[in-house]
Amino acid sequence: MKFVCFPTAAPIRWARLALLSTVLMMLSLPAFPQTQDVPPPKNPDTGPQTNTDEGSGPTMRDRTKPQQDNPVETLKVNVDVVNLLFNVKDKSGHLLPNLDKDEFQISEDGKLQAIKYFKAESNLPLTIGILLDTSMSQDRVLPIEKEVGAQFLQRMLRKEDEAFLISFDVNVDLLQDYTNLSRDIRKGMDAAKVNGGGAVGGLPGIGQGPVALNPKGTLLYDAVYLAAHDKLRSEVGRKALILLTDGEDQGSQLKLQDALEAAQKADAIVYTLLISDSGVAMGTGAGLMRKLCEETGGRVIHVGNNQDKLQKAFDQISEELRSQYSIGYTPSNNKHDGSFRKVEIKTKNGYKVQTRKGYYAAAS
């Protein structure tokens, strides 16, 4: 092979070849170093854990499908009309579903408001969340809760209605997402299991075997908050949460007021069915649950550990949710300051009105 040399052009060509060779070598290198240090994931393959990181808010583990990003579409409506759902009972506690608009007056922060809208709402779509206490205190009553609760939803839900199921103990778990199918409801109920929080070996010298510990307790307030904020807030129509619990919270990151505020902002009615192994509600749980329920337009029903009482309680809730009125007004206070406004509905004949005690105004 012969090489022909051109005295004037050779240095330029060799320079170009050297430059081209350097560029090709650079292009062949990886975009990032292969030995880059990557921190290990937190809680690998276990999904988000409630209360694992101090300072972070409560989370709900989704047990219905593999962990993945689940974007939530939120409907935001900026309107200046306040709508309230309520039912009315006589002095004997009987529902009165056929009253006229002229029977009612409504006030906000003590000032009478002009009623713009009134209608009996027996067919408005309904979304129900069932929250099952699966802590150790519910060990013997959980089976009847699951059976009677499933029967209630199967009777209650119509084609346009939906329900979801959450359990709470040392964690908050979504057991069944929105559905109105009986088989899905049964599957979700079957997934509810009592969780005592694990066990450790017996103390030295005692030799009595494992001692059950409940390091986080019963995350009742966290569960209510997550159900209202994460599940119901973006829904429209009538919304209700039904809690089956003894009313005792232990270890929640949030307080009762946080749970109450989330339920109010979601326009959700809260019912609590007080149920426990002993049949008797202990501690301060009953009183705290009464505040949560009455402030949102629901109520507390004591069922003890009696299956017949539990059945009747669900029947009462069903009847109340199907015998509601809807009333709307444009508030005379038109400030968008995010403040809480107290609302009161009265009747001319002194009937008892069951509704939420107020709402949070829109913020500018």
Side-chain angles (χ1 to χ4, degrees):
M1 181 181 294
K2 295 182 179 180
F3 294 92
V4 181
C5 297
F6 297 90
T8 58
I12 298 176
R13 289 182 179 177
W14 281 112
R16 288 177 178 175
L17 288 173
L19 176 61
L20 179 59
S21 176
T22 302
V23 171
L24 291 175
M25 290 177 64
M26 292 177 64
L27 291 176
S28 67
L29 292 174
F32 298 98
Q34 295 298 317
T35 60
Q36 183 180 17
D37 292 331
V38 179
K42 295 182 178 180
N43 302 322
D45 301 325
T46 61
Q49 301 290 313
T50 303
N51 289 346
T52 54
D53 296 321
E54 292 297 332
S56 64
T59 58
M60 178 163 53
R61 306 189 304 180
D62 189 342
R63 293 305 200 191
T64 65
K65 53 184 174 290
Q67 292 297 323
Q68 56 186 355
D69 292 333
N70 297 315
V72 177
E73 296 182 1
T74 303
L75 176 64
K76 296 182 179 179
V77 183
N78 184 17
V79 295
D80 289 322
V81 177
V82 176
N83 290 291
L84 299 172
L85 290 167
F86 64 98
N87 56 51
V88 184
K89 297 178 181 179
D90 62 20
K91 294 181 179 179
S92 300
H94 298 116
L95 288 166
L96 302 172
N98 299 310
L99 300 175
D100 297 324
K101 172 184 174 182
D102 295 338
E103 177 70 32
F104 303 96
Q105 67 177 27
I106 187 168
S107 62
E108 178 179 302
D109 289 337
K111 297 180 179 180
L112 287 177
Q113 306 292 313
I115 298 174
K116 301 292 186 182
Y117 174 85
F118 178 83
K119 185 181 180 182
E121 295 287 12
S122 60
N123 295 313
L124 196 65
L126 175 65
T127 305
I128 299 177
I130 301 289
L131 276 61
L132 290 174
D133 184 340
T134 48
S135 62
M136 289 297 294
S137 65
Q138 305 298 102
D139 189 27
R140 288 183 291 179
V141 292
L142 184 60
I144 66 172
E145 293 176 24
K146 293 159 63 173
E147 179 61 30
V148 177
Q151 293 175 5
F152 161 74
L153 289 177
Q154 289 166 0
R155 294 192 312 272
M156 184 71 185
L157 297 180
R158 301 175 182 177
K159 183 178 180 180
E160 65 276 12
D161 301 331
E162 288 187 315
F164 62 91
L165 176 65
I166 287 174
S167 69
F168 60 94
D169 39 62
V170 298
N171 293 299
V172 179
D173 292 328
L174 177 64
L175 302 181
Q176 175 56 56
D177 211 340
Y178 293 117
T179 186
N180 60 7
L181 299 178
S182 297
R183 65 175 181 272
D184 292 341
I185 292 169
R186 286 285 180 179
K187 182 179 178 181
M189 288 291 183
D190 289 341
K193 308 292 183 184
V194 166
N195 183 1
V200 297
L203 296 176
I206 296 179
Q208 296 181 352
V211 176
L213 294 182
N214 202 350
K216 300 176 186 176
T218 307
L219 306 186
L220 171 56
Y221 302 153
D222 287 355
V224 174
Y225 175 88
L226 290 165
H229 183 273
D230 290 13
K231 301 301 296 179
L232 289 183
R233 193 168 184 176
S234 60
E235 297 297 309
V236 296
R238 295 178 300 154
K239 295 172 277 189
L241 294 176
I242 302 176
L243 283 59
L244 290 93
T245 178
D246 59 5
E248 299 295 331
D249 179 277
Q250 184 182 20
S252 282
Q253 289 192 33
L254 302 178
K255 305 297 184 183
L256 174 67
Q257 184 60 37
D258 299 312
L260 173 57
E261 183 175 325
Q264 289 170 328
K265 289 182 175 180
D267 296 337
I269 301 170
V270 181
Y271 286 90
T272 297
L273 306 185
L274 285 179
I275 185 169
S276 66
D277 274 355
S278 65
V280 179
M282 307 296 288
T284 60
L288 296 174
M289 290 300 98
R290 187 173 297 109
K291 175 179 174 61
L292 175 65
C293 294
E294 291 181 355
E295 291 286 327
T296 60
R299 61 192 181 98
V300 172
I301 305 176
H302 294 260
V303 299
N305 54 9
N306 187 295
Q307 183 168 344
D308 290 338
K309 288 184 178 180
L310 182 61
Q311 180 72 64
K312 291 178 181 178
F314 272 120
D315 291 342
Q316 292 172 26
I317 293 173
S318 177
E319 188 177 9
E320 290 181 11
L321 292 177
R322 294 298 183 198
S323 304
Q324 291 179 310
Y325 298 97
S326 177
I327 196 168
Y329 68 96
T330 302
S332 56
N333 181 356
N334 57 11
K335 295 180 180 178
H336 291 182
D337 55 7
S339 64
F340 184 77
R341 314 279 176 80
K342 293 182 179 180
V343 177
E344 185 176 17
I345 301 174
K346 292 183 178 180
T347 69
K348 293 180 179 178
N349 290 292
Y351 299 133
K352 181 181 179 180
V353 176
Q354 185 175 311
T355 189
R356 56 182 167 137
K357 306 301 183 184
Y359 73 98
Y360 285 88
S364 300

